[in-house]
Amino acid sequence: MNKTNYPPVSEFVFLGLSTSRPVQHFLLAFSAVFYVTVVLGNILVVFTVTFDAHLHSPMYFLLGNLSFIDLCLSTLTVPKMISDLYSGKNTISFQGCVMQIFVLHVLGGSEMVLLIAMAVDRYVAICKPLHYLTIMSPWMCILLPSGAWVIGLIHSVAQLAFVVHLPFCGPNVIDSFYCDLPWFIKLACIDTYNMEFMVTANSGFISLGTFFLLIVSYTSILFTVWKRSSGGLSKALSTLSAHITVVVLFFGPCIFVYMWPFPTIPVDKFLAILDFMITPILNPAIYTLRNKDMKLAMRRLCSQLLILRKIP
Ligand SMILES: *[C@@H]1O[C@H](CO)[C@@H](O)[C@H](O)[C@H]1NC(C)=O
């Protein structure tokens, strides 16, 4: 195709999740309620972890960072989707789309590293309790979360470097409600087979690899607990099965979006709802709000706030 015959693409059009008006109304209400829950739940966690000195340990730093990422992931896509559903104006500028892809991969990459770090933290706490304090030192506290952010950034830059200079010459319809590489690449006016392969190799295998790593580490934790005593197993099973549920729900859609070879069945955009609206609620609910120390900390903060209000 001769690209000089076409004006360059300045914006993309989202098809959204559905074109039926009643379904759109339902989605609008559904996503508004879920988004508010995501924001409140995760802000509560970030706030508690930051302001309660008793929670300044690796596990809670990781949880706080996870909540922060969930909050950002949701904010990156859901408000735009809500406003599109409300106004019917489903466009995004070219720069906006590239920006969304970039931030999405920084956050997604960091979240994966954080989930691994959390599994390692649990593994050390349960299987090597005597070494916990030496392995999870204050240095580790800083290293793990910042390492997660750096790896997310590298992952995103590495992918975007390949695609920012793709020529676009007309087609600009994205069958989804947010921008991501698989759809973006397909719209370029050159043969993008190599690009698609690169995305599958980079994002796809990272998702798949992390997923297996997590399943293996949780299984080995369960196995250790099981060998030690049968009494501890049921408790560990209930905690870890909750963690495994989140891992499956988070990685399932990623693996689908990047590795599903049949683009004619557009299930990926529906699965993406899991990552932007469901797991950001499950993470605080499962990892944090069920946790005894966390509940105590929230009660402490609450009473401190009440006292502060009474002073003036
Ligand atoms: C994220 O981790 C860093 C440690 O590297 C910590 O200082 C920070 O408070 C954490 N963020 C949250 C929101 O918990």
Side-chain angles (χ1 to χ4, degrees):
M1 231 182 283
N2 183 356
K3 63 180 175 165
T4 51
N5 290 345
Y6 298 89
V9 168
S10 63
E11 59 179 24
F12 294 99
V13 179
F14 291 138
L15 284 187
L17 288 170
S18 166
T19 48
S20 129
R21 219 37 207 153
V23 176
Q24 285 180 349
H25 287 147
F26 167 76
L27 283 170
L28 184 61
F30 174 89
S31 28
V33 170
F34 274 71
Y35 182 63
V36 170
T37 316
V38 168
V39 172
L40 294 181
N42 288 296
I43 285 186
L44 181 66
V45 172
V46 170
F47 187 80
T48 313
V49 170
T50 313
F51 289 105
D52 195 291
H54 299 266
L55 299 183
H56 289 177
S57 70
M59 184 173 122
Y60 293 103
F61 276 149
L62 292 172
L63 285 171
N65 278 270
L66 184 71
S67 273
F68 179 70
I69 292 185
D70 276 339
L71 183 61
C72 297
L73 259 183
S74 211
T75 303
L76 185 66
T77 51
V78 180
K80 166 75 178 141
M81 171 184 162
I82 292 177
S83 96
D84 285 356
L85 282 168
Y86 182 74
S87 67
K89 177 185 167 295
N90 302 340
T91 58
I92 186 169
S93 69
F94 187 90
Q95 289 85 356
C97 186
V98 171
M99 204 56 205
Q100 200 176 36
I101 295 177
F102 175 73
V103 178
L104 185 68
H105 282 265
V106 174
L107 294 173
S110 315
E111 171 139 358
M112 290 190 187
V113 179
L114 274 185
L115 288 171
I116 294 178
M118 285 166 56
V120 171
D121 176 76
R122 286 303 82 204
Y123 176 83
V124 178
I126 294 175
C127 304
K128 306 254 180 292
L130 297 180
H131 300 114
Y132 187 75
L133 286 179
T134 38
I135 298 178
M136 290 291 159
S137 57
W139 161 238
M140 261 323 205
C141 264
I142 313 262
L143 187 72
L144 286 177
S146 27
W149 287 103
V150 172
I151 293 177
L153 197 64
I154 294 175
H155 157 74
S156 190
V157 170
Q159 291 207 108
L160 225 59
F162 285 100
V163 300
V164 275
H165 297 300
L166 284 178
F168 289 86
C169 56
N172 69 343
V173 176
I174 291 180
D175 184 14
S176 184
F177 60 96
Y178 68 103
C179 280
D180 199 359
L181 285 172
W183 302 300
F184 183 78
I185 288 177
K186 284 211 180 69
L187 296 177
C189 299
I190 50 168
D191 179 17
T192 52
Y193 180 80
N194 288 338
M195 293 282 171
E196 284 170 41
F197 179 77
M198 187 275 298
V199 168
T200 307
N202 192 336
S203 292
F205 283 113
I206 288 180
S207 312
L208 202 63
T210 316
F211 177 71
F212 276 115
L213 205 64
L214 286 171
I215 296 294
V216 167
S217 57
Y218 280 128
T219 314
S220 71
I221 296 177
L222 276 182
F223 192 69
T224 314
V225 176
W226 173 70
K227 268 198 318 201
R228 213 181 285 155
S229 71
S230 52
L233 186 63
S234 65
K235 187 167 168 286
L237 202 59
S238 89
T239 313
L240 296 178
S241 60
H243 288 207
I244 293 174
T245 310
V246 173
V247 166
V248 171
L249 288 181
F250 182 79
F251 286 95
C254 297
I255 294 172
F256 241 89
V257 168
Y258 299 118
M259 303 193 82
W260 185 246
F262 312 112
T264 46
I265 312 170
V267 280
D268 41 6
K269 64 179 176 180
F270 291 98
L271 284 177
I273 291 183
L274 286 174
D275 276 348
F276 297 126
M277 286 185 238
I278 310 293
T279 49
I281 293 180
L282 286 180
N283 280 342
I286 284 178
Y287 288 106
T288 322
L289 303 178
R290 287 176 14 146
N291 178 305
K292 210 166 60 225
D293 295 327
M294 198 72 191
K295 283 187 202 152
L296 263 179
M298 281 189 276
R299 223 165 284 153
R300 263 196 307 267
L301 277 182
C302 222
S303 51
Q304 277 168 9
L305 284 179
L306 288 179
I307 292 170
L308 281 183
R309 272 233 322 261
K310 283 194 198 124
I311 289 173

